[in-house]
Each structure stands twice: as C-alpha cells, then as structure tokens.
Amino acid sequence: DVCDLANKTSEDCNSNGIPDECDLANCNDSPWCSDCNDNGLLDACDLFGSFEAESPTYTPLGNPTVQTYTLTAPPDAVGDVLLSFSALGDLFSVNKYVNISINGQAVGTAYGGVGYYLCSPNQVDTLTVPMATFNALKASSGGNVAIAMTPTSNMNPTACGSNPTTIKVTVTYSRTPASQDANSNGVPDECELGCKGDMNCDGLVTFADIDPFVEALGGQAAWEQNHPNCPWLNADCNGDGSVTFADIDPFVARIGAHCP
C-alpha cells in the first residue's frame, strides 16, 4: 500500500495512509470511509478540490523520440495548470531543451535555461499553462489531454552511456470539487438532502422508522405538513423519485443502516 501511494497508482483522499479503494472495500459505514452518494469515491475525494496526475518515467529523452503522456477525461481546471518535469539527460546547454505541447499546440518549453547538467538525475523544471488555454485545448480533443515532450534535434538520447535518459511530468491544478459541503461537516451536501429509510431523521434506519414510513406512503403533501424537517423522499428506497408500495422491500432491507 505504501508503494501504491508513493507511486500515485492509488489515492488517499482522507490522508490515513491507506489506499482509498481499500477504505471503500472495508468500510463499516463509518464517516471516515463512507461513500454516501454511491459514486465509487470516498466522500473526502468528492470534497477535494485539487487534481494531480503523474506520468510514468519515459525513456529515452533525446532526438528523435517524442514522449507523450495522455490524461483521459481529466476535470476542468479552475486555476492555472502546473506542469512539473523531472529529467536525466543531455541538458547542459541553453540550446538543448524540450518543447511542450498539449493536443498538438505548443504551450512552452522545459530545460531551456541555465543550471541544468549533463546526466544529473531528477533535474526539475516547471511550466505554467493558463487555465483558459488548458481547458480550451482539452475541449478541442473531446476532453482528453495529450502532453507531448519533444526534445530539440541536438539532444543526444544516449549521452549518459549505460544510464538511460529519462523524463516524466506531473500535472497539478485546482478543480471544482465533485460535491459541495456548505456546512463544512465533511459530508457532501447531496447526502444531507436525505437518507433512504431514515423517516425520523435520527441518522439511523431502525424499527422506529416503520410507522413514519407507512405514513409517507400516504403522499408528499400530508407528510410535509406533519414532518417539515424530514424529507419525504427518504422513503424513496428504490430511487425512482417517488414513494410507493415498491419501496417497501427496499425499506426493509435498509433497516439497520447508518446515515452519513
């Protein structure tokens, strides 16, 4: 698990040192591991407003090879996009650099300045892409983002002898969270609109909810008059947008459940 997190093959949105997929698989309805909207993400991920993706380490770095990292349907950026490069190669010259393009359009260069060395590992450079440019280029390619890293023609891919020349890129930016949390309680707002089967809004689905569930079958108007602070659609246990006798079996199945 430590390697999964270090290599960014798994996420840890609740920062507990455990990959999110493991939290979900072993969750016991506790808030720290819940997925209250059943979208396959921890609630902490829904509320997280940052995006980060790291490419594999590509080799070689040098002419004529173009290395391309493709992001499949990343979210729109709500701020400028930072591209962070880490490389080892033939970089000891301001005339040897890497041209960067997104979906075929040039957006800048990496390693075109001073301070880079021949065959020194983990040499870092960054490039900032404006939000509007990134989102427009993403939209132009159907929502995907292909970041191409093209070395200049004088960059030797075998300059480091037995050590392979390499480059990788990390993409970081702010995005709109998948869910909002207006009251800052760590629960996505859509989950607080109601909890299926919780007819007395005490956060649990128990035998105490049976009588009010039966009452809800009588219709929305009467329910809201008598229970203004507990949603009528909590009784919609089959998720079809209404409360009918078809909700009885799903309601019974919910008894014993905890609400976020």
Side-chain angles (χ1 to χ4, degrees), residues 72-125:
T72 302
D76 282 346
V78 294
D80 290 344
V81 176
L82 181 66
L83 305 182
S84 300
F85 302 92
S86 178
L88 180 154
D90 185 12
L91 303 174
F92 186 55
S93 170
V94 293
N95 296 318
K96 296 180 179 180
Y97 51 88
V98 181
N99 292 294
I100 309 301
S101 65
I102 294 179
N103 292 341
Q105 178 170 313
V107 293
T109 62
Y111 302 105
V114 297
Y116 298 106
Y117 303 95
L118 178 65
C119 302
S120 180
N122 302 319
Q123 296 186 83
V124 174
D125 197 7

Side-chain angles (χ1 to χ4, degrees), residues 213 217 232 235 238 240 242-248:
F213 172 79
L217 292 173
W232 176 67
N238 66 355
D240 66 356
S242 187
V243 179
T244 67
F245 291 116
D247 293 298
I248 294 176

Side-chain angles (χ1 to χ4, degrees), residues 115-208:
Y116 298 106
Y117 303 95
L118 178 65
C119 302
S120 180
N122 302 319
Q123 296 186 83
V124 174
D125 197 7
T126 61
L127 174 64
T128 298
V129 179
M131 173 189 71
T133 300
F134 179 86
N135 289 339
L137 292 174
K138 183 171 86 76
S140 72
S141 188
N144 296 333
V145 172
I147 302 170
M149 295 164 277
T150 305
T152 52
S153 60
N154 59 349
M155 188 178 290
N156 182 1
T158 61
C160 300
S162 60
N163 292 323
T165 54
T166 63
I167 189 169
K168 69 177 180 179
V169 60
T170 300
V171 185
T172 308
Y173 58 87
S174 296
R175 65 170 176 84
T176 301
S179 299
Q180 300 300 309
D181 181 17
N183 59 3
S184 300
N185 68 345
V187 179
D189 289 344
E190 66 269 21
C191 299
E192 296 191 297
L193 297 176
C195 174
K196 294 179 180 180
D198 180 17
M199 302 311 301
N200 59 6
C201 287
D202 65 354
L204 302 170
V205 183
T206 67
F207 292 116

